[in-house]
């Protein structure tokens, strides 16, 4: 079978309860004319997550499932950037971000793909807030924090994107090729904001696709107060970077 044009990057740290199921769900989305491959970026999970992945590679999914192992917890943003570089090196056209814990429904991947491959978007975002608040099993405090954080980001950055911190995203190859990864500063939620804002600043079109976000049932959340703090103050730095012309396309 020829290589897919689409790769789903899934960062992991201690996701043994979810990893095999999410892999099978994504790789089970095959149709006659399209499929998704997967790249796992594992940050040294002590629970054996990487071993489960390597077992699946050695068994059923040698040509479709890939893994990059890192030495420790180096941050979500650096995990995705490592994945982006790998995807570009391996000639993928559509590069997805997705969580391992089923908070992002794998069945929505074809909709994000269609938004870019058929409907002309340069970036598609699985949006929790484009049609209201579509979040399941989150405490109300966290729902409000996330919703109003996105409103704050829209106001400071002067953009209309409803779900600025979304982590369920499809980037086209041309967008990733034009972004200077070495200039991306943030590691947590602010990384998600920075990537989208950079794409918008460079003139790319982002389309929000409505999805339902479901809080994880298995494993432990990696959320922390520091992540929100980074996003809170990071957006002001992003606004200043745009005003001073520091957000530029990567030189070829």
């Amino acid at each position: 079978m020829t290589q897919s044009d689409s790769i789903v990057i899934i960062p992991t740290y201690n996701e043994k309860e979810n990893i095999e199921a999410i892999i099978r769900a994504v790789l089970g989305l095959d149709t006659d004319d399209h499929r998704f491959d997967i790249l796992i970026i594992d940050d040294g999970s002590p629970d054996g997550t990487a071993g489960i992945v390597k077992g699946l590679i050695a068994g059923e999914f040698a040509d479709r499932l890939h893994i990059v192992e890192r030495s420790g917890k180096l941050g979500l943003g650096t995990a995705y950037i490592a994945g982006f570089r790998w995807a570009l090196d391996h000639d993928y056209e559509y590069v997805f971000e997705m969580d391992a814990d089923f908070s992002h429904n794998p069945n929505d991947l074809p909709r994000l793909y269609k938004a870019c491959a058929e409907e002309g978007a340069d970036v598609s975002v699985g949006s929790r807030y484009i049609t209201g608040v579509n979040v399941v099993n989150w405490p109300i405090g966290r729902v409000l924090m996330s919703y109003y954080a996105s409103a704050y980001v829209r106001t400071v950055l002067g953009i209309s994107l409803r779900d600025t911190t979304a982590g369920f995203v499809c980037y086209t190859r041309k967008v990733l090729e034009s972004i200077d990864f070495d200039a991306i500063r943030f590691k947590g939620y602010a990384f998600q904001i920075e990537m989208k804002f950079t794409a918008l600043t460079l003139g790319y079109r982002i389309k929000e696709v409505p999805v339902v976000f479901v809080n994880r049932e298995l494993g432990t959340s990696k959320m922390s107060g520091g992540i929100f703090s980074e996003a809170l103050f990071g957006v002001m730095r992003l606004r200043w970077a745009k005003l001073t012309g520091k957000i530029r396309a990567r030189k070829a």
Side-chain angles (χ1 to χ4, degrees):
M1 183 181 292
T2 59
Q3 174 180 297
S4 171
D5 65 353
S6 303
I7 187 88
V8 180
I9 301 172
I10 304 177
T12 55
Y13 184 79
N14 287 349
E15 291 289 354
K16 67 178 182 180
E17 296 95 341
N18 295 301
I19 193 61
E20 180 169 353
I22 197 73
I23 287 170
R24 292 189 180 279
V26 172
L27 298 184
L29 293 171
D30 288 11
T31 65
D32 291 340
D33 57 0
H34 188 256
R35 69 174 197 178
F36 297 91
D37 293 345
I38 297 176
L39 172 64
I40 304 296
I41 308 292
D42 187 72
D43 273 5
S45 298
D47 72 344
T49 298
I52 295 170
V53 176
K54 289 188 283 189
L56 293 171
I57 293 172
E60 301 171 54
F61 303 122
D63 298 325
R64 302 187 55 193
L65 177 60
H66 312 276
I67 187 169
V68 171
E69 295 182 82
R70 307 198 304 171
S71 59
K73 294 182 71 175
L74 303 177
L76 181 71
T78 65
Y80 274 126
I81 287 174
F84 294 157
R85 294 185 193 277
W86 190 99
L88 293 176
D89 287 344
H90 289 80
D91 299 323
Y92 287 93
E93 293 294 329
Y94 302 95
V95 182
F96 295 76
E97 298 180 353
M98 184 178 180
D99 290 349
D101 60 7
F102 284 94
S103 56
H104 303 142
N105 187 340
N107 292 326
D108 288 325
L109 284 168
R111 298 170 59 228
L112 295 183
Y113 174 78
K114 182 179 179 182
C116 289
E118 300 178 19
E119 297 171 1
D122 301 306
V123 180
S124 59
V125 174
S127 177
R128 298 163 290 186
Y129 306 129
I130 193 65
T131 58
V133 179
N134 295 312
V135 177
V136 177
N137 293 337
W138 259 8
I140 188 63
R142 186 170 172 187
V143 172
L144 292 173
M145 184 183 298
S146 176
Y147 181 82
Y148 285 109
S150 280
Y152 165 78
V153 172
R154 289 198 304 274
T155 300
V156 173
L157 297 183
I159 59 178
S160 60
L161 193 67
R162 300 293 299 180
D163 196 348
T164 55
T165 60
F168 195 18
V169 185
C170 173
Y171 290 97
T172 56
R173 181 180 185 87
K174 66 181 179 181
V175 173
L176 294 180
E177 285 181 329
S178 69
I179 292 177
D180 182 0
F181 297 138
D182 292 333
I184 299 295
R185 300 180 179 184
F186 301 114
K187 295 182 179 181
Y189 265 5
F191 166 80
Q192 299 292 2
I193 300 165
E194 185 174 11
M195 284 291 296
K196 297 179 188 73
F197 185 60
T198 299
L200 287 169
T201 301
L202 296 178
Y204 291 110
R205 179 190 171 208
I206 298 181
K207 179 173 182 177
E208 291 187 85
V209 177
V211 301
V212 176
F213 180 97
V214 180
N215 197 31
R216 70 161 62 233
E217 294 183 1
L218 300 173
T220 303
S221 172
K222 313 307 186 294
M223 191 65 60
S224 71
I227 288 174
F228 278 106
S229 177
E230 179 191 57
L232 179 66
F233 296 105
V235 292
M236 291 184 282
R237 293 172 62 184
L238 289 175
R239 179 69 173 177
W240 180 248
K242 181 179 180 179
L243 291 172
T244 55
K246 293 181 179 179
I247 300 178
R248 306 185 187 96
R250 183 176 64 87
K251 294 181 180 179

